[in-house]
């Protein structure tokens, strides 16, 4: 077991560390060198992050962070295939699906971060949001379909729950970045994914975070009925988990979000 762990570190961790160091010098590299770096990241996602290698979670998290740094510098102008590359990997194994979700969760969180905290310029942030939304509807449907196919293959209920939690977190990060129309057209499918496990103790907090993100959208008058439906769900949740809302009444909850 120790030998396998050592081999995992040698085979997976050191190339990842090397990639991180390379990206830190991104600005000084020419076009050819940058293409080599992207190809290395692509092969790493394919060959090192999968169910067969089964890397420890901290390595997949670090890889996702590194991959996001590459996307921030290259996608879509200089790396147009990055989106399809990630989707292809996510179809290949559960571990790659989780890693792909993590990549987009981290990216979207940084895009939607408050301006003073973000390391992205306003223009770059707009650029990334525009590109994500170009594929956003397709991506939401892809995530839900692929998640369902993996869930059906998993016998371990804890693993199923963990996968669903990650997916809810991805949608939570997505909400501030996508247009109202996209939210509304996909929300029933997202609810359908969450509802069977929404009362589970471990999943419930993730559901609450998603609903709060959903309630924080500045809805237009045309979507007032949808905004009210979100509020109703929050009110239902507040009865189940009152401590999360600091014992707020219905009127207080309404004022906070609307």
């Amino acid at each position: 077991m120790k030998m396998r762990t050592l081999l995992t570190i040698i085979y997976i961790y050191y190339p990842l560390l090397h990639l991180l160091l390379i990206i830190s010098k991104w600005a000084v590299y020419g076009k050819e060198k940058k293409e080599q770096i992207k190809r290395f990241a692509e092969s790493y996602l394919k060959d090192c992050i999968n169910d067969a290698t089964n890397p420890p979670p901290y390595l997949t998290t670090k890889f996702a962070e590194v991959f996001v740094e590459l996307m921030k510098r290259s996608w879509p102008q200089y790396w147009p295939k990055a989106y399809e590359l990630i989707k292809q990997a996510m179809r290949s194994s559960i571990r790659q699906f989780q890693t792909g979700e993590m990549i987009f969760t981290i990216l979207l969180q940084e895009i939607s971060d408050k301006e003073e905290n973000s390391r992205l310029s306003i223009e770059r942030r707009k650029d990334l949001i525009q590109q994500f939304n170009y594929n956003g509807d397709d991506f939401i449907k892809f995530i839900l379909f692929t998640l369902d196919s993996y869930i059906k293959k998993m016998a371990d209920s804890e693993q199923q729950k963990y996968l669903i939690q990650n997916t809810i977190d991805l949608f939570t990060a997505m909400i501030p970045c996508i247009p109202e129309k996209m939210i509304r057209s996909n929300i029933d499918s997202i609810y359908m994914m969450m509802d069977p496990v929404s009362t589970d103790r471990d999943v419930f907090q993730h559901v609450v975070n998603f609903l709060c993100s959903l309630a924080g959208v500045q809805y237009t008058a045309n979507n007032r009925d949808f905004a009210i439906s979100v509020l109703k769900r929050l009110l239902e949740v507040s009865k189940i988990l009152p401590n999360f809302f600091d014992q707020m009444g219905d009127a207080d909850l309404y004022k906070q979000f609307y």
Side-chain angles (χ1 to χ4, degrees):
M1 185 66 178
K2 290 182 179 179
M3 178 59 69
R4 184 183 182 282
T5 302
L6 180 60
L7 290 174
T8 298
I9 292 174
I10 294 172
Y11 178 63
I12 299 178
Y13 182 73
Y14 282 108
L16 179 58
L17 180 61
H18 180 60
L19 180 60
L20 182 60
L21 292 173
I22 288 174
I23 292 176
S24 68
K25 301 177 182 179
W26 184 261
V28 303
Y29 295 135
K31 182 178 179 180
E32 184 176 347
K33 179 67 173 178
K34 290 177 179 178
E35 289 300 317
Q36 291 176 354
I37 295 169
K38 286 183 286 188
R39 286 196 297 270
F40 179 78
E42 292 170 8
S43 64
Y44 194 97
L45 177 60
K46 178 182 177 182
D47 300 328
C48 298
I49 306 292
N50 53 55
D51 292 347
T53 57
N54 193 29
Y58 70 88
L59 284 181
T60 54
T61 300
K62 179 54 66 177
F63 172 75
E65 292 172 351
V66 171
F67 203 93
V68 167
E69 290 301 316
L70 269 179
M71 291 184 73
K72 284 160 53 181
R73 290 162 171 77
S74 306
W75 186 61
Q77 291 88 342
Y78 307 110
W79 202 9
K81 66 177 182 178
Y83 171 70
E84 288 299 333
L85 174 84
I86 297 170
K87 277 182 61 180
Q88 182 179 357
M90 293 174 78
R91 293 188 189 99
S92 302
S93 72
I94 293 174
R95 182 55 62 91
Q96 286 161 301
F97 180 79
Q98 292 172 322
T99 305
E101 286 195 320
M102 198 179 304
I103 287 170
F104 277 105
T105 299
I106 295 169
L107 178 65
L108 291 166
Q109 284 173 340
E110 186 152 352
I111 290 174
S112 62
D113 197 7
K114 291 182 180 179
E115 187 176 325
E116 60 270 20
N117 297 327
S118 179
R119 291 173 291 175
L120 290 167
S121 68
I122 295 175
E123 288 304 314
R124 185 66 183 125
R125 199 183 321 175
K126 289 179 180 178
D127 190 32
L128 288 167
I129 288 176
Q130 181 179 5
Q131 183 60 30
F132 180 81
N133 285 334
Y134 179 78
N135 300 299
D137 196 66
D138 168 79
F139 187 61
I140 292 171
K141 290 177 172 57
F142 165 76
I143 289 293
L144 291 171
F145 176 82
T146 311
L147 172 70
D148 184 63
S149 66
Y150 281 135
I151 289 293
K152 289 176 179 176
K153 297 176 184 177
M154 300 171 76
D156 189 331
S157 60
E158 289 300 311
Q159 288 184 344
Q160 291 178 347
K161 193 164 59 177
Y162 181 71
L163 204 58
I164 292 172
Q165 287 175 4
N166 290 345
T167 303
I168 296 172
D169 291 344
L170 170 60
F171 287 135
T172 300
M174 197 182 298
I175 292 298
C177 300
I178 62 178
E180 291 176 58
K181 183 178 180 181
M182 193 180 297
I183 296 173
R184 187 162 189 169
S185 64
N186 290 285
I187 195 63
D188 287 342
S189 298
I190 295 173
Y191 282 155
M192 194 178 300
M193 175 271 294
M194 292 193 307
D195 283 348
V197 294
S198 61
T199 57
D200 183 277
R201 183 187 300 272
D202 297 325
V203 180
F204 192 73
Q205 184 65 64
H206 298 263
V207 174
V208 170
N209 292 340
F210 172 77
L211 290 174
C212 288
S213 181
L214 200 59
V217 175
Q218 298 296 313
Y219 294 104
T220 59
N222 292 337
N223 283 315
R224 184 177 181 277
D225 60 327
F226 177 65
I228 295 299
S229 73
V230 173
L231 175 63
K232 287 179 179 178
R233 278 198 171 241
L234 265 174
L235 292 174
E236 292 171 1
V237 166
S238 70
K239 303 300 188 294
I240 302 172
L241 194 66
N243 291 337
F244 182 84
F245 296 95
D246 297 325
Q247 306 296 334
M248 288 191 295
D250 292 1
D252 296 322
L253 194 61
Y254 184 90
K255 288 177 182 177
Q256 174 167 331
F257 290 103
Y258 295 100

